[in-house]
Amino acid sequence: MTNFDYYAPTKVVFGKGTEDQAGDLVREQGATKVLVHYGSGSVKRSGLLERIYQSLEQAGIPFVSLGGVVPNPRLSLVYQGIELCKKEHVDFILAVGGGSVIDSGKAIGYGVANEGDVWDFYERKRVAAGCLPIGVVLTIAAAGSEMSNSSVITNEDGWLKRGYGNDCCRARFAVMNPELTMTLPKYQTASGCVDIMMHTMERYFNQEENLDLTDGFSEHLIRTVMENARILMKEPDNYKARAEVMWAGSLSHNGLTGCGTAGGDWASHQLEHELGGMFDVAHGAGLSAVWGSWARYVLEGNPGRFAQFAVRVMGQEKGKDDTETALRGICAMEEFYHQVEMPTSLSELGINPTEEQLHSLAEKCSHFGKRTVGCIKKLDQEDMYQIYKMAM
């Protein structure tokens, strides 16, 4: 195993009715004016946004609001948020929503705390020196951004989707009430569950001598999400299942499942980012659509690791060799995706890229031939193209 740092400074306030504590939590941070950042009308229709406003008012915290965040959050709205925060002298951001809202809030925080164009950080041209402090009221269990150091933004100029990670953006607190996720559509719930699983799977597939404890925790987390995802397909208001998935989402992406793994692979995420940028698909659904093709393409880079996953996570019998066992595990995972109505190909995802678009996806994913991704097998632009083509 490799040496590792584990840093998880976010205060978690978990359970029923916890959103009513938002004002007091913001006041604890010493905020004098808050940007309440949110997405669509769902937080309004549910009454959540009004409860948040009331909580801030009761705590004596002035605020301004900016809604309109969409899945695959846009850079243009980030620019609006930066301008609004500077104009209103905002010193704290409260993100009310899921990963897209939180990621947008983090980007705004970078833009307020640093001079120059915030997109430079996502293009790896500069390193952020700070970020406006952020708190979260979580409404979707998926991205894990409430406890992670990462943020992903889509630039409409070229439809480039890029991620940036820096510990200074980690949320000061995360309010997590599983009840707030009960009204999510089945598709969004399932997509979120896939995203959670993939955050651990990306770390699980690596080339290190792994800690048994990290492996065991990771394997149990994935199985837990799978079990409760099946329950939620039939019982969307099952509080325990919602709670299991919500807590798994945070632990899957706060670094815990990556201890000693040297970071993991992350190629599937990079491949999906370009699908999200070009076709605006749901992130989790995009991941399930490409994962099987990625796994089959790279498994000979570490068949023993895939075989362990097949046995310990997917409950498969060992085959005549690691490759056969690994393939059983990949097929079993794809069967699970279908059980929760998630796609396992681009056509099932609802997109049919042209040959030109496949090459464009690979170009963008490789940063136009300037980088490789992954560690099970280092993927160059041609490899990326072949995986996209396999995923058709």
mmCIF file of all heavy atoms in Angstrom, residues 291-330:
data_model
loop_
_atom_site.group_PDB
_atom_site.id
_atom_site.type_symbol
_atom_site.label_atom_id
_atom_site.label_comp_id
_atom_site.label_asym_id
_atom_site.label_seq_id
_atom_site.Cartn_x
_atom_site.Cartn_y
_atom_site.Cartn_z
ATOM 1 N N TRP A 291 -19.314 1.776 -18.025
ATOM 2 C CA TRP A 291 -18.467 1.015 -17.104
ATOM 3 C C TRP A 291 -18.136 -0.377 -17.631
ATOM 4 O O TRP A 291 -16.968 -0.810 -17.578
ATOM 5 C CB TRP A 291 -19.133 0.881 -15.726
ATOM 6 C CG TRP A 291 -18.218 0.178 -14.762
ATOM 7 C CD1 TRP A 291 -17.162 0.720 -14.073
ATOM 8 C CD2 TRP A 291 -18.229 -1.219 -14.427
ATOM 9 N NE1 TRP A 291 -16.535 -0.237 -13.318
ATOM 10 C CE2 TRP A 291 -17.167 -1.446 -13.520
ATOM 11 C CE3 TRP A 291 -19.045 -2.293 -14.800
ATOM 12 C CZ2 TRP A 291 -16.898 -2.704 -12.977
ATOM 13 C CZ3 TRP A 291 -18.780 -3.550 -14.263
ATOM 14 C CH2 TRP A 291 -17.717 -3.747 -13.357
ATOM 15 N N GLY A 292 -19.115 -1.120 -18.126
ATOM 16 C CA GLY A 292 -18.854 -2.474 -18.598
ATOM 17 C C GLY A 292 -17.852 -2.509 -19.737
ATOM 18 O O GLY A 292 -16.984 -3.395 -19.784
ATOM 19 N N SER A 293 -17.947 -1.550 -20.650
ATOM 20 C CA SER A 293 -17.003 -1.498 -21.769
ATOM 21 C C SER A 293 -15.598 -1.165 -21.263
ATOM 22 O O SER A 293 -14.614 -1.765 -21.709
ATOM 23 C CB SER A 293 -17.458 -0.458 -22.792
ATOM 24 O OG SER A 293 -18.687 -0.850 -23.370
ATOM 25 N N TRP A 294 -15.515 -0.210 -20.330
ATOM 26 C CA TRP A 294 -14.213 0.108 -19.727
ATOM 27 C C TRP A 294 -13.634 -1.131 -19.045
ATOM 28 O O TRP A 294 -12.457 -1.470 -19.244
ATOM 29 C CB TRP A 294 -14.361 1.238 -18.698
ATOM 30 C CG TRP A 294 -13.155 1.352 -17.820
ATOM 31 C CD1 TRP A 294 -11.977 1.987 -18.106
ATOM 32 C CD2 TRP A 294 -12.981 0.763 -16.504
ATOM 33 N NE1 TRP A 294 -11.085 1.826 -17.066
ATOM 34 C CE2 TRP A 294 -11.673 1.087 -16.076
ATOM 35 C CE3 TRP A 294 -13.808 0.005 -15.682
ATOM 36 C CZ2 TRP A 294 -11.173 0.670 -14.831
ATOM 37 C CZ3 TRP A 294 -13.320 -0.409 -14.450
ATOM 38 C CH2 TRP A 294 -12.030 -0.071 -14.036
ATOM 39 N N ALA A 295 -14.458 -1.815 -18.241
ATOM 40 C CA ALA A 295 -13.967 -2.952 -17.465
ATOM 41 C C ALA A 295 -13.435 -4.061 -18.376
ATOM 42 O O ALA A 295 -12.361 -4.632 -18.123
ATOM 43 C CB ALA A 295 -15.079 -3.481 -16.566
ATOM 44 N N ARG A 296 -14.166 -4.391 -19.432
ATOM 45 C CA ARG A 296 -13.720 -5.446 -20.341
ATOM 46 C C ARG A 296 -12.437 -5.023 -21.074
ATOM 47 O O ARG A 296 -11.582 -5.855 -21.353
ATOM 48 C CB ARG A 296 -14.819 -5.779 -21.344
ATOM 49 C CG ARG A 296 -16.017 -6.497 -20.721
ATOM 50 C CD ARG A 296 -17.079 -6.842 -21.751
ATOM 51 N NE ARG A 296 -18.169 -7.613 -21.153
ATOM 52 C CZ ARG A 296 -19.231 -7.065 -20.566
ATOM 53 N NH1 ARG A 296 -19.350 -5.735 -20.533
ATOM 54 N NH2 ARG A 296 -20.160 -7.819 -20.028
ATOM 55 N N TYR A 297 -12.323 -3.744 -21.382
ATOM 56 C CA TYR A 297 -11.165 -3.248 -22.140
ATOM 57 C C TYR A 297 -9.886 -3.300 -21.309
ATOM 58 O O TYR A 297 -8.802 -3.558 -21.835
ATOM 59 C CB TYR A 297 -11.433 -1.823 -22.608
ATOM 60 C CG TYR A 297 -10.451 -1.299 -23.634
ATOM 61 C CD1 TYR A 297 -10.634 -1.571 -24.994
ATOM 62 C CD2 TYR A 297 -9.354 -0.538 -23.261
ATOM 63 C CE1 TYR A 297 -9.747 -1.094 -25.949
ATOM 64 C CE2 TYR A 297 -8.450 -0.053 -24.195
ATOM 65 C CZ TYR A 297 -8.649 -0.343 -25.537
ATOM 66 O OH TYR A 297 -7.762 0.125 -26.478
ATOM 67 N N VAL A 298 -10.000 -3.063 -19.993
ATOM 68 C CA VAL A 298 -8.796 -2.919 -19.170
ATOM 69 C C VAL A 298 -8.528 -4.103 -18.247
ATOM 70 O O VAL A 298 -7.470 -4.150 -17.612
ATOM 71 C CB VAL A 298 -8.869 -1.635 -18.306
ATOM 72 C CG1 VAL A 298 -9.139 -0.410 -19.172
ATOM 73 C CG2 VAL A 298 -9.902 -1.744 -17.181
ATOM 74 N N LEU A 299 -9.436 -5.077 -18.140
ATOM 75 C CA LEU A 299 -9.344 -6.061 -17.051
ATOM 76 C C LEU A 299 -8.049 -6.857 -17.060
ATOM 77 O O LEU A 299 -7.554 -7.268 -15.999
ATOM 78 C CB LEU A 299 -10.562 -6.982 -17.036
ATOM 79 C CG LEU A 299 -10.698 -8.134 -18.039
ATOM 80 C CD1 LEU A 299 -9.957 -9.380 -17.545
ATOM 81 C CD2 LEU A 299 -12.165 -8.480 -18.243
ATOM 82 N N GLU A 300 -7.429 -7.063 -18.220
ATOM 83 C CA GLU A 300 -6.177 -7.816 -18.252
ATOM 84 C C GLU A 300 -5.032 -7.038 -17.620
ATOM 85 O O GLU A 300 -3.967 -7.598 -17.355
ATOM 86 C CB GLU A 300 -5.822 -8.217 -19.683
ATOM 87 C CG GLU A 300 -6.734 -9.295 -20.259
ATOM 88 C CD GLU A 300 -6.755 -10.574 -19.418
ATOM 89 O OE1 GLU A 300 -5.743 -10.860 -18.727
ATOM 90 O OE2 GLU A 300 -7.774 -11.293 -19.443
ATOM 91 N N GLY A 301 -5.271 -5.743 -17.341
ATOM 92 C CA GLY A 301 -4.276 -4.960 -16.615
ATOM 93 C C GLY A 301 -4.166 -5.377 -15.166
ATOM 94 O O GLY A 301 -3.116 -5.153 -14.530
ATOM 95 N N ASN A 302 -5.217 -5.979 -14.609
ATOM 96 C CA ASN A 302 -5.185 -6.497 -13.244
ATOM 97 C C ASN A 302 -6.358 -7.458 -13.046
ATOM 98 O O ASN A 302 -7.311 -7.150 -12.320
ATOM 99 C CB ASN A 302 -5.241 -5.363 -12.218
ATOM 100 C CG ASN A 302 -4.890 -5.812 -10.809
ATOM 101 O OD1 ASN A 302 -4.948 -7.006 -10.495
ATOM 102 N ND2 ASN A 302 -4.537 -4.874 -9.953
ATOM 103 N N PRO A 303 -6.330 -8.610 -13.701
ATOM 104 C CA PRO A 303 -7.464 -9.536 -13.621
ATOM 105 C C PRO A 303 -7.748 -10.012 -12.203
ATOM 106 O O PRO A 303 -8.905 -10.285 -11.853
ATOM 107 C CB PRO A 303 -7.056 -10.696 -14.540
ATOM 108 C CG PRO A 303 -5.571 -10.592 -14.667
ATOM 109 C CD PRO A 303 -5.252 -9.135 -14.563
ATOM 110 N N GLY A 304 -6.706 -10.102 -11.363
ATOM 111 C CA GLY A 304 -6.917 -10.543 -9.996
ATOM 112 C C GLY A 304 -7.785 -9.588 -9.201
ATOM 113 O O GLY A 304 -8.598 -10.017 -8.367
ATOM 114 N N ARG A 305 -7.639 -8.311 -9.468
ATOM 115 C CA ARG A 305 -8.441 -7.311 -8.761
ATOM 116 C C ARG A 305 -9.909 -7.419 -9.175
ATOM 117 O O ARG A 305 -10.815 -7.353 -8.344
ATOM 118 C CB ARG A 305 -7.906 -5.909 -9.073
ATOM 119 C CG ARG A 305 -8.471 -4.812 -8.177
ATOM 120 C CD ARG A 305 -8.011 -4.995 -6.763
ATOM 121 N NE ARG A 305 -8.431 -3.888 -5.911
ATOM 122 C CZ ARG A 305 -8.472 -3.968 -4.591
ATOM 123 N NH1 ARG A 305 -8.115 -5.084 -3.979
ATOM 124 N NH2 ARG A 305 -8.858 -2.935 -3.872
ATOM 125 N N PHE A 306 -10.139 -7.581 -10.466
ATOM 126 C CA PHE A 306 -11.506 -7.748 -10.959
ATOM 127 C C PHE A 306 -12.119 -9.051 -10.450
ATOM 128 O O PHE A 306 -13.321 -9.111 -10.169
ATOM 129 C CB PHE A 306 -11.535 -7.713 -12.484
ATOM 130 C CG PHE A 306 -11.483 -6.322 -13.065
ATOM 131 C CD1 PHE A 306 -10.279 -5.724 -13.394
ATOM 132 C CD2 PHE A 306 -12.653 -5.601 -13.275
ATOM 133 C CE1 PHE A 306 -10.232 -4.450 -13.928
ATOM 134 C CE2 PHE A 306 -12.623 -4.320 -13.809
ATOM 135 C CZ PHE A 306 -11.402 -3.741 -14.132
ATOM 136 N N ALA A 307 -11.299 -10.093 -10.333
ATOM 137 C CA ALA A 307 -11.800 -11.367 -9.822
ATOM 138 C C ALA A 307 -12.199 -11.229 -8.355
ATOM 139 O O ALA A 307 -13.225 -11.771 -7.923
ATOM 140 C CB ALA A 307 -10.741 -12.448 -9.989
ATOM 141 N N GLN A 308 -11.388 -10.513 -7.573
ATOM 142 C CA GLN A 308 -11.731 -10.276 -6.171
ATOM 143 C C GLN A 308 -13.050 -9.517 -6.060
ATOM 144 O O GLN A 308 -13.901 -9.850 -5.226
ATOM 145 C CB GLN A 308 -10.615 -9.472 -5.492
ATOM 146 C CG GLN A 308 -10.929 -9.120 -4.036
ATOM 147 C CD GLN A 308 -9.788 -8.393 -3.354
ATOM 148 O OE1 GLN A 308 -8.652 -8.866 -3.361
ATOM 149 N NE2 GLN A 308 -10.069 -7.236 -2.759
ATOM 150 N N PHE A 309 -13.240 -8.532 -6.905
ATOM 151 C CA PHE A 309 -14.484 -7.767 -6.930
ATOM 152 C C PHE A 309 -15.663 -8.678 -7.257
ATOM 153 O O PHE A 309 -16.732 -8.599 -6.636
ATOM 154 C CB PHE A 309 -14.369 -6.649 -7.969
ATOM 155 C CG PHE A 309 -15.589 -5.788 -8.114
ATOM 156 C CD1 PHE A 309 -15.828 -4.726 -7.246
ATOM 157 C CD2 PHE A 309 -16.505 -6.022 -9.128
ATOM 158 C CE1 PHE A 309 -16.943 -3.931 -7.387
ATOM 159 C CE2 PHE A 309 -17.633 -5.224 -9.275
ATOM 160 C CZ PHE A 309 -17.846 -4.178 -8.395
ATOM 161 N N ALA A 310 -15.459 -9.563 -8.228
ATOM 162 C CA ALA A 310 -16.531 -10.472 -8.644
ATOM 163 C C ALA A 310 -16.977 -11.372 -7.498
ATOM 164 O O ALA A 310 -18.176 -11.602 -7.300
ATOM 165 C CB ALA A 310 -16.063 -11.316 -9.826
ATOM 166 N N VAL A 311 -16.021 -11.875 -6.731
ATOM 167 C CA VAL A 311 -16.336 -12.813 -5.648
ATOM 168 C C VAL A 311 -16.868 -12.080 -4.420
ATOM 169 O O VAL A 311 -17.921 -12.418 -3.876
ATOM 170 C CB VAL A 311 -15.092 -13.654 -5.284
ATOM 171 C CG1 VAL A 311 -15.361 -14.510 -4.053
ATOM 172 C CG2 VAL A 311 -14.686 -14.526 -6.463
ATOM 173 N N ARG A 312 -16.141 -11.055 -3.974
ATOM 174 C CA ARG A 312 -16.467 -10.402 -2.703
ATOM 175 C C ARG A 312 -17.651 -9.447 -2.798
ATOM 176 O O ARG A 312 -18.398 -9.296 -1.830
ATOM 177 C CB ARG A 312 -15.245 -9.648 -2.179
ATOM 178 C CG ARG A 312 -14.074 -10.524 -1.772
ATOM 179 C CD ARG A 312 -13.045 -9.668 -1.057
ATOM 180 N NE ARG A 312 -11.825 -10.403 -0.751
ATOM 181 C CZ ARG A 312 -10.774 -9.860 -0.119
ATOM 182 N NH1 ARG A 312 -10.817 -8.586 0.237
ATOM 183 N NH2 ARG A 312 -9.704 -10.587 0.128
ATOM 184 N N VAL A 313 -17.798 -8.780 -3.932
ATOM 185 C CA VAL A 313 -18.885 -7.807 -4.072
ATOM 186 C C VAL A 313 -20.081 -8.411 -4.785
ATOM 187 O O VAL A 313 -21.217 -8.286 -4.334
ATOM 188 C CB VAL A 313 -18.405 -6.547 -4.824
ATOM 189 C CG1 VAL A 313 -19.564 -5.556 -5.008
ATOM 190 C CG2 VAL A 313 -17.264 -5.875 -4.066
ATOM 191 N N MET A 314 -19.846 -9.082 -5.890
ATOM 192 C CA MET A 314 -20.939 -9.571 -6.724
ATOM 193 C C MET A 314 -21.357 -11.006 -6.389
ATOM 194 O O MET A 314 -22.307 -11.518 -6.978
ATOM 195 C CB MET A 314 -20.555 -9.472 -8.202
ATOM 196 C CG MET A 314 -20.168 -8.059 -8.658
ATOM 197 S SD MET A 314 -21.367 -6.771 -8.184
ATOM 198 C CE MET A 314 -22.850 -7.339 -8.999
ATOM 199 N N GLY A 315 -20.652 -11.657 -5.463
ATOM 200 C CA GLY A 315 -21.056 -12.986 -5.018
ATOM 201 C C GLY A 315 -20.921 -14.072 -6.050
ATOM 202 O O GLY A 315 -21.659 -15.072 -6.018
ATOM 203 N N GLN A 316 -19.964 -13.943 -6.953
ATOM 204 C CA GLN A 316 -19.796 -14.919 -8.026
ATOM 205 C C GLN A 316 -18.871 -16.066 -7.615
ATOM 206 O O GLN A 316 -17.966 -15.887 -6.791
ATOM 207 C CB GLN A 316 -19.230 -14.229 -9.272
ATOM 208 C CG GLN A 316 -20.115 -13.136 -9.829
ATOM 209 C CD GLN A 316 -21.471 -13.661 -10.256
ATOM 210 O OE1 GLN A 316 -21.575 -14.486 -11.152
ATOM 211 N NE2 GLN A 316 -22.520 -13.183 -9.598
ATOM 212 N N GLU A 317 -19.105 -17.234 -8.196
ATOM 213 C CA GLU A 317 -18.208 -18.362 -8.005
ATOM 214 C C GLU A 317 -16.936 -18.146 -8.828
ATOM 215 O O GLU A 317 -16.966 -17.528 -9.894
ATOM 216 C CB GLU A 317 -18.887 -19.661 -8.455
ATOM 217 C CG GLU A 317 -20.105 -20.039 -7.636
ATOM 218 C CD GLU A 317 -19.745 -20.494 -6.234
ATOM 219 O OE1 GLU A 317 -18.601 -20.988 -6.043
ATOM 220 O OE2 GLU A 317 -20.587 -20.354 -5.328
ATOM 221 N N LYS A 318 -15.828 -18.663 -8.330
ATOM 222 C CA LYS A 318 -14.580 -18.543 -9.072
ATOM 223 C C LYS A 318 -14.638 -19.401 -10.327
ATOM 224 O O LYS A 318 -15.146 -20.518 -10.319
ATOM 225 C CB LYS A 318 -13.400 -18.974 -8.208
ATOM 226 C CG LYS A 318 -13.094 -18.018 -7.055
ATOM 227 C CD LYS A 318 -11.859 -18.465 -6.282
ATOM 228 C CE LYS A 318 -11.540 -17.487 -5.156
ATOM 229 N NZ LYS A 318 -10.342 -17.912 -4.403
ATOM 230 N N GLY A 319 -14.105 -18.876 -11.426
ATOM 231 C CA GLY A 319 -14.006 -19.624 -12.671
ATOM 232 C C GLY A 319 -12.687 -20.348 -12.776
ATOM 233 O O GLY A 319 -11.955 -20.483 -11.787
ATOM 234 N N LYS A 320 -12.356 -20.772 -13.963
ATOM 235 C CA LYS A 320 -11.129 -21.535 -14.152
ATOM 236 C C LYS A 320 -9.883 -20.668 -13.982
ATOM 237 O O LYS A 320 -8.795 -21.181 -13.714
ATOM 238 C CB LYS A 320 -11.124 -22.202 -15.526
ATOM 239 C CG LYS A 320 -11.043 -21.276 -16.724
ATOM 240 C CD LYS A 320 -10.970 -22.067 -18.019
ATOM 241 C CE LYS A 320 -10.781 -21.172 -19.241
ATOM 242 N NZ LYS A 320 -11.951 -20.312 -19.493
ATOM 243 N N ASP A 321 -10.052 -19.348 -14.155
ATOM 244 C CA ASP A 321 -8.942 -18.423 -13.926
ATOM 245 C C ASP A 321 -9.524 -17.056 -13.556
ATOM 246 O O ASP A 321 -10.754 -16.856 -13.539
ATOM 247 C CB ASP A 321 -8.036 -18.317 -15.157
ATOM 248 C CG ASP A 321 -8.766 -17.935 -16.437
ATOM 249 O OD1 ASP A 321 -9.818 -17.251 -16.354
ATOM 250 O OD2 ASP A 321 -8.302 -18.310 -17.524
ATOM 251 N N ASP A 322 -8.641 -16.117 -13.246
ATOM 252 C CA ASP A 322 -9.090 -14.787 -12.817
ATOM 253 C C ASP A 322 -9.894 -14.069 -13.897
ATOM 254 O O ASP A 322 -10.862 -13.360 -13.599
ATOM 255 C CB ASP A 322 -7.883 -13.926 -12.420
ATOM 256 C CG ASP A 322 -7.330 -14.291 -11.050
ATOM 257 O OD1 ASP A 322 -8.028 -14.994 -10.298
ATOM 258 O OD2 ASP A 322 -6.201 -13.864 -10.746
ATOM 259 N N THR A 323 -9.511 -14.238 -15.156
ATOM 260 C CA THR A 323 -10.212 -13.554 -16.239
ATOM 261 C C THR A 323 -11.667 -14.021 -16.343
ATOM 262 O O THR A 323 -12.585 -13.212 -16.468
ATOM 263 C CB THR A 323 -9.492 -13.774 -17.584
ATOM 264 O OG1 THR A 323 -8.186 -13.193 -17.509
ATOM 265 C CG2 THR A 323 -10.266 -13.119 -18.723
ATOM 266 N N GLU A 324 -11.873 -15.325 -16.267
ATOM 267 C CA GLU A 324 -13.239 -15.847 -16.329
ATOM 268 C C GLU A 324 -14.054 -15.352 -15.126
ATOM 269 O O GLU A 324 -15.217 -14.953 -15.272
ATOM 270 C CB GLU A 324 -13.234 -17.368 -16.350
ATOM 271 C CG GLU A 324 -14.637 -17.971 -16.447
ATOM 272 C CD GLU A 324 -14.619 -19.488 -16.522
ATOM 273 O OE1 GLU A 324 -13.992 -20.010 -17.462
ATOM 274 O OE2 GLU A 324 -15.224 -20.122 -15.631
ATOM 275 N N THR A 325 -13.439 -15.359 -13.952
ATOM 276 C CA THR A 325 -14.125 -14.867 -12.755
ATOM 277 C C THR A 325 -14.461 -13.395 -12.900
ATOM 278 O O THR A 325 -15.564 -12.945 -12.567
ATOM 279 C CB THR A 325 -13.256 -15.084 -11.506
ATOM 280 O OG1 THR A 325 -12.853 -16.453 -11.430
ATOM 281 C CG2 THR A 325 -14.015 -14.714 -10.245
ATOM 282 N N ALA A 326 -13.489 -12.639 -13.410
ATOM 283 C CA ALA A 326 -13.689 -11.204 -13.602
ATOM 284 C C ALA A 326 -14.861 -10.923 -14.531
ATOM 285 O O ALA A 326 -15.692 -10.048 -14.250
ATOM 286 C CB ALA A 326 -12.415 -10.567 -14.143
ATOM 287 N N LEU A 327 -14.932 -11.647 -15.634
ATOM 288 C CA LEU A 327 -16.017 -11.437 -16.592
ATOM 289 C C LEU A 327 -17.379 -11.764 -15.981
ATOM 290 O O LEU A 327 -18.371 -11.101 -16.276
ATOM 291 C CB LEU A 327 -15.773 -12.269 -17.851
ATOM 292 C CG LEU A 327 -14.640 -11.780 -18.753
ATOM 293 C CD1 LEU A 327 -14.307 -12.810 -19.820
ATOM 294 C CD2 LEU A 327 -14.998 -10.437 -19.390
ATOM 295 N N ARG A 328 -17.417 -12.773 -15.107
ATOM 296 C CA ARG A 328 -18.666 -13.076 -14.408
ATOM 297 C C ARG A 328 -19.099 -11.878 -13.545
ATOM 298 O O ARG A 328 -20.279 -11.534 -13.478
ATOM 299 C CB ARG A 328 -18.487 -14.312 -13.524
ATOM 300 C CG ARG A 328 -18.358 -15.612 -14.282
ATOM 301 C CD ARG A 328 -18.152 -16.782 -13.314
ATOM 302 N NE ARG A 328 -18.021 -18.047 -14.028
ATOM 303 C CZ ARG A 328 -17.808 -19.220 -13.439
ATOM 304 N NH1 ARG A 328 -17.722 -19.284 -12.109
ATOM 305 N NH2 ARG A 328 -17.694 -20.329 -14.157
ATOM 306 N N GLY A 329 -18.115 -11.267 -12.880
ATOM 307 C CA GLY A 329 -18.432 -10.115 -12.042
ATOM 308 C C GLY A 329 -18.916 -8.918 -12.840
ATOM 309 O O GLY A 329 -19.846 -8.215 -12.429
ATOM 310 N N ILE A 330 -18.307 -8.684 -13.996
ATOM 311 C CA ILE A 330 -18.728 -7.566 -14.846
ATOM 312 C C ILE A 330 -20.159 -7.788 -15.332
ATOM 313 O O ILE A 330 -20.991 -6.870 -15.295
ATOM 314 C CB ILE A 330 -17.756 -7.412 -16.039
ATOM 315 C CG1 ILE A 330 -16.363 -6.997 -15.536
ATOM 316 C CG2 ILE A 330 -18.290 -6.389 -17.043
ATOM 317 C CD1 ILE A 330 -15.269 -7.094 -16.578
#
